[in-house]
Amino acid sequence: MRFKVIAAAAISVATLMSVAACGGSNTASDGKVELEFWHNATTGDGKAYWENLAAAFEKKHQNVTIKIQAIQNEDYQGKLQTALQDPNSAPDVYMSLGGQKTKDMIEAGQTIDITSDISADAKKNMASTLGAATFDDKVYGMPVSMEPGGIWYSEDLFKKAGITEPPKTMEELNQAVTKLKAANITPVALGGKDAWPAAHWYYWLSFRECSAKDFSEASSGKGLKADCWNKAADQLEAFNKTNPFNNGYLTTSAQQGAGSSAGLLANHKAAMELMGAWEPGVLKDLSPDGKAMSDLGYFPFPSVDGGQGDPNALMGSVTYYSVSPSAPKKEAMEFLNYMAETKNQEGYAKAWNTFPANDAARGVVTDPALKTVLEYVKKSPDMQLWLDTQLGSNAGTALNTSVVNMLAGKGAAKDIVTAANDAIAKG
Amino acid sequence: MNASKETGARMKKKSKTVVKDKWRKGLEISVLSVPALIMFLGFVVFPIVMAAYYGFFKWKGFGSPTTNGTFIGIQNYITIFSDAEFRSAVLHNFIIVIGSLVLQAPIAILFALLLNQKMKGRAIIRTLIFVPYVVSEVIVGTGWSLMLQSEGAINAVLKRIGLQGADWISDPKIAMWTLLILITWKYIGFAVILMLAGMQSIPEELYEAARVDGAGFWQLQKSITLPLLGPTLRIWAFLSIIGSLQLFDLVYIIWGQYISSTAGTSTMATYMVREGRVSSNYGYGSAVAVVIFVISLVVALTYQKFILNRDLDGALTEKPSKSKNKSVSAVAEEV
């Protein structure tokens, strides 16, 4: 009995304290400024990188304290969206969501135009990536990394199956799949449980199938009208009929553990996977010895016969950080410009094993597969944003779901386009 | 004269204490109930009202619905009811409601009968049956989803003993059964505990009398245990129905954000999260929440009116209330 009373008292005190801790944040009264900074690196090198960067910045700017909140990636969007509803709870500097969602934030006045506050160095060095954070000629974020997508493969397994050249066309990819199967190797790993890895196959096929004009028409909110969207769905259906994916891909997640699609590739249980440039880092964490995969190769998504899209063009994402209107702008911008400095961008690239957004910092990329990607990045015109990010989560979710449905045999190819257009009615 | 004065004073004093008592009682009631009322209004009524309000907008959750969204009246509700995915989610919910009742009730009663007998190791078996109920849904979901994968442990074991495995999670023909069996495994402990408590509140004399009259074991259960277990069964069924209508976590953990409708295990709640939060259609999601609320409310009220009613009536008077109190305290002791 007494124990219960004590426990109850303890719980209520704890509740009160946590409620009290929710109170508003930040700024100035005696020249001291607190910057609340939100990012999504909850583990390992990435988390340490931000902690060190914040500490170094605080040393240079004695009046600024940076309060870091690291939020797990899947929770990040919901938490940010809620926090931004109230200036008191909004973080000052935060990882933006990109694409349509950034547009929505601009419209709601939750992110500010930083065009004139970007340092000259950053403007020069970020030339290739600032475009992703630019809307109506105004810049709304400072890029930190870029993640172009493509197919990551095991060179050893390709060799074993007798594939000498990475496939350049869908036809060659089909031949590679046949060869791998003949050698008793699972050709393609697919994390169908998370849906977006499956949908990426559709995004890439439509990116090769559709012209740039069709893409910009779709992203202006007019829906998927052109015929090429259906053609891409047919292509995917045909590819799926060759059974290229790992057994049980519908219940395979993308990145969790050795049984995930990335885990299959890292452990040489499957020969390739379609992913973004975060793949080498993910594979490293999932490999049996915790080391980078030594035989990892990369080739861009193959071209399709008669496609309208540029076969050299790449699709991917740019991660950038934005400032909320309630933030102390001067200090927030100093922090963003500090992030963009070449030395710090080099640190970023090393911590994440990925591409820095800063062109001058690319020298630190040593991973051979990433170096291959760099070659293709140079050849590619402006990088296209992932289709689901571009269209917003509304149409994006519908596409993700309907692609999985089609692969599972629960819907026809043409349902993909219908589902996306229906979803636009709900938003 | 004197005497009457005295009684008058006494009466005054008495009425004063009555008033004081009443006042004190009122204060006590309000002090004790206000926190609960505030919680109820703030965390139940207010969100429902807000959801109903948001449900009239096409709104992505950035800014406020009036400036950054569009007022579209009942268009969201029209879309919900014309969406085949929502209808199939509702259907899945009702399959789960009925499946849980049909699967769990007999098993729970049998277990309770068994555990109600004096035998060795009873405490251990009771604990073991109750363990899945205590373990968090996330842990249960993650564990089972790993074991049930096409290349998972279950299929590996089946292969060893020469049996053909199946796609337990992703095959639409099997997935619902997998879910029902997992739910049964997870929640049977709770049902068993309730049934046990109900059985222990049945007076031993009834059994003794029946035994004297020559009744056998099964006849005892059929004519005494089952009828007297009625109130417990009905309240358990009510809790089970509500739980099944709100089912979310197990499905969300095992089937993830997207593929539950592909596998045929989506529920109204997973539909709401996918179409509302994941797709950032906060207006539409709120409208779905209102629909779920109304469906659950109608089911709950109907059940109360036609089935639970007889227990509730008695609860305010005498006998059943006693047995109920007893059963509750028995549960507390048991736990």
Side-chain angles (χ1 to χ4, degrees):
Chain A
M1 191 64 202
R2 247 188 88 197
F3 170 74
K4 272 187 193 162
V5 172
I6 293 170
I11 287 172
S12 44
V13 168
T15 317
L16 271 177
M17 276 165 63
S18 60
V19 169
C22 286
S25 70
N26 85 329
T27 48
S29 60
D30 49 351
K32 286 208 187 301
V33 175
E34 190 180 89
L35 271 185
E36 188 154 341
F37 170 52
W38 283 22
H39 64 75
N40 71 338
T42 45
T43 54
D45 295 345
K47 186 171 179 240
Y49 169 79
W50 284 126
E51 280 162 8
N52 296 336
L53 189 80
F57 181 80
E58 281 171 353
K59 230 180 199 172
K60 280 178 87 178
H61 303 260
Q62 292 289 342
N63 64 327
V64 184
T65 355
I66 294 178
K67 205 173 127 198
I68 299 182
Q69 258 213 64
I71 297 155
Q72 206 280 326
N73 187 51
E74 309 300 318
D75 296 333
Y76 186 83
Q77 183 193 330
K79 221 176 157 178
L80 179 69
Q81 202 164 351
T82 314
L84 286 175
Q85 291 296 91
D86 177 8
N88 274 327
S89 62
D92 302 312
V93 176
Y94 57 91
M95 186 185 88
S96 194
L97 302 172
Q100 180 61 40
K101 279 178 225 153
T102 301
K103 269 194 217 165
D104 293 336
M105 283 193 239
I106 296 169
E107 214 174 273
Q110 294 175 337
T111 185
I112 57 171
D113 172 11
I114 58 168
T115 321
S116 52
D117 303 285
I118 299 176
S119 68
D121 277 352
K123 250 182 202 151
K124 191 184 80 199
N125 291 332
M126 300 279 180
S128 64
T129 43
L130 269 178
T134 308
F135 299 84
D136 287 331
D137 296 328
K138 289 177 196 144
V139 183
Y140 288 90
M142 181 66 81
V144 290
S145 66
M146 67 183 284
E147 297 100 14
I151 296 181
W152 307 82
Y153 70 101
S154 152
E155 284 166 353
D156 291 353
L157 291 182
F158 266 45
K159 229 175 266 165
K160 218 179 190 179
I163 305 162
T164 45
E165 281 274 299
K168 289 201 175 60
T169 62
M170 273 311 275
E171 208 186 308
E172 285 175 27
L173 182 66
N174 281 326
Q175 286 163 5
V177 165
T178 317
K179 278 185 187 163
L180 284 162
K181 277 186 156 173
N184 234 341
I185 299 166
T186 302
V188 184
L190 180 66
K193 186 180 173 186
D194 291 326
W196 56 264
H200 272 200
W201 279 92
Y202 176 69
Y203 300 159
W204 276 103
L205 280 166
S206 44
F207 190 46
R208 295 283 181 252
E209 199 64 74
C210 297
S211 68
K213 200 178 120 258
D214 296 328
F215 256 70
S216 65
E217 190 184 80
S219 44
S220 64
K222 287 186 190 135
L224 312 180
K225 290 279 147 48
D227 196 38
C228 61
W229 300 104
N230 276 318
K231 260 196 204 158
D234 291 338
Q235 288 258 6
L236 181 55
E237 194 173 31
F239 182 62
N240 186 39
K241 286 227 171 88
T242 65
N243 267 329
F245 304 119
N246 56 293
N247 237 340
Y249 60 85
L250 264 187
T251 52
T252 306
S253 60
Q255 299 176 354
Q256 295 170 322
S260 66
S261 57
L264 290 176
L265 178 57
N267 293 296
H268 293 92
K269 294 265 169 67
M272 57 183 135
E273 186 182 19
L274 177 63
M275 266 294 147
W278 53 80
E279 185 78 342
V282 175
L283 292 174
K284 185 178 143 195
D285 287 344
L286 292 172
S287 69
D289 52 3
K291 284 193 191 129
M293 204 172 138
S294 57
D295 64 327
L296 183 67
Y298 166 92
F299 59 93
F301 197 86
S303 62
V304 298
D305 225 16
Q308 308 272 305
D310 182 344
N312 283 325
L314 290 179
M315 184 160 46
S317 53
V318 169
T319 304
Y320 53 91
Y321 281 79
S322 297
V323 178
S324 76
S326 58
K329 196 176 178 191
K330 183 175 152 274
E331 285 78 9
M333 280 314 301
E334 278 169 355
F335 186 50
L336 283 189
N337 283 325
Y338 185 66
M339 268 182 205
E341 284 176 16
T342 306
K343 160 179 71 82
N344 292 330
Q345 274 279 289
E346 286 171 355
Y348 187 98
K350 275 185 212 148
W352 267 268
N353 200 13
T354 188
F355 284 124
N358 183 327
D359 295 328
R362 299 231 166 110
V364 293
V365 173
T366 51
D367 190 291
L370 280 176
K371 275 185 149 169
T372 324
V373 183
L374 206 49
E375 310 271 302
Y376 289 103
V377 169
K378 283 175 192 155
K379 276 191 228 162
S380 161
D382 253 7
M383 193 173 69
Q384 163 71 38
L385 199 57
W386 302 122
L387 189 61
D388 53 346
T389 318
Q390 179 84 41
L391 296 179
S393 34
N394 180 28
T397 304
L399 280 175
N400 290 350
T401 317
S402 55
V403 169
V404 171
N405 273 340
M406 188 205 79
L407 292 181
K410 224 192 148 192
K414 63 177 187 329
D415 293 342
I416 295 178
V417 176
T418 321
N421 288 332
D422 280 356
I424 293 167
K426 280 179 201 158
Chain B
M1 192 73 175
N2 240 355
S4 81
K5 222 180 190 176
E6 224 166 63
T7 38
R10 207 183 289 154
M11 267 175 72
K12 230 180 191 173
K13 210 175 170 186
K14 205 177 171 190
S15 75
K16 222 178 180 177
T17 54
V18 167
V19 170
K20 216 172 147 191
D21 258 14
K22 260 194 177 163
W23 193 80
R24 219 185 55 190
K25 229 180 183 175
L27 184 78
E28 201 177 299
I29 289 174
S30 46
V31 164
L32 291 178
S33 61
V34 158
L37 263 180
I38 291 176
M39 294 291 270
F40 183 68
L41 289 175
F43 291 101
V44 178
V45 176
F46 178 67
I48 291 170
V49 172
M50 288 312 282
Y53 167 71
Y54 291 143
F56 292 120
F57 290 88
K58 190 169 174 173
W59 177 52
K60 288 182 188 162
F62 293 103
S64 79
T66 40
T67 49
N68 299 102
T70 353
F71 183 83
I72 50 167
I74 57 163
Q75 184 53 48
N76 279 336
Y77 294 93
I78 297 173
T79 315
I80 292 171
F81 288 111
S82 55
D83 189 350
E85 294 236 336
F86 180 74
R87 290 196 301 263
S88 65
V90 175
L91 176 71
H92 298 152
N93 266 118
F94 281 93
I95 292 175
I96 294 165
V97 165
I98 293 171
S100 307
L101 292 179
V102 170
L103 283 177
Q104 287 179 39
I107 299 177
I109 292 173
L110 284 179
F111 268 128
L113 276 179
L114 180 75
L115 293 177
N116 207 18
Q117 312 305 312
K118 288 195 179 68
M119 58 178 194
K120 254 191 184 165
R122 186 167 72 161
I124 293 179
I125 300 178
R126 271 190 200 179
T127 318
L128 283 180
I129 286 181
F130 204 60
V131 161
Y133 181 69
V134 181
V135 179
S136 117
E137 266 85 355
V138 178
I139 295 171
V140 166
T142 314
W144 279 108
S145 71
L146 286 174
M147 287 194 286
L148 288 168
Q149 274 176 6
S150 324
E151 309 280 309
I154 304 256
N155 278 352
V157 169
L158 287 177
K159 210 171 169 187
R160 277 279 163 80
I161 54 175
L163 286 172
Q164 179 75 39
D167 264 340
W168 304 107
I169 302 178
S170 57
D171 186 343
K173 286 189 201 110
I174 307 176
M176 179 53 89
W177 287 103
T178 309
L179 178 63
L180 281 175
I181 288 166
L182 286 187
I183 290 176
T184 306
W185 173 83
K186 174 94 176 69
Y187 296 105
I188 197 74
F190 180 66
V192 169
I193 293 287
L194 273 186
M195 301 300 165
L196 255 180
M199 281 176 192
Q200 285 177 354
S201 70
I202 299 170
E204 187 58 27
E205 299 85 61
L206 293 179
Y207 292 106
E208 270 164 30
R211 248 179 248 127
V212 170
D213 291 343
F217 178 80
W218 290 111
Q219 203 178 355
L220 285 183
Q221 312 312 333
K222 201 183 120 213
S223 323
I224 299 175
T225 313
L226 277 185
L228 288 177
L229 209 53
T232 317
L233 256 176
R234 285 190 284 272
I235 201 81
W236 165 77
F238 184 63
L239 295 176
S240 168
I241 289 171
I242 297 291
S244 307
L245 284 178
Q246 295 175 341
L247 183 70
F248 170 73
D249 28 24
L250 263 185
V251 178
Y252 194 71
I253 296 295
I254 299 177
W255 281 272
Q257 297 185 332
Y258 297 102
I259 64 162
S260 59
S261 64
T262 313
T265 53
S266 57
T267 67
M268 295 188 285
T270 60
Y271 176 86
M272 173 181 75
V273 168
R274 200 184 82 195
E275 300 298 326
R277 200 184 72 94
V278 178
S279 326
S280 359
N281 293 328
Y282 282 72
Y284 186 77
S286 299
V288 177
V290 172
V291 173
I292 297 178
F293 170 70
V294 171
I295 291 178
S296 307
L297 189 72
V298 167
V299 170
L301 288 182
T302 315
Y303 189 84
Q304 288 214 333
K305 174 107 179 73
F306 292 104
I307 298 173
L308 218 51
N309 209 8
R310 38 179 144 172
D311 303 327
L312 293 179
D313 271 349
L316 294 177
T317 50
E318 27 152 315
K319 222 177 141 202
S321 107
K322 246 186 203 161
S323 79
K324 230 173 152 205
N325 279 342
K326 211 170 170 189
S327 70
V328 170
S329 64
V331 170
E333 264 172 37
E334 219 65 51
V335 177

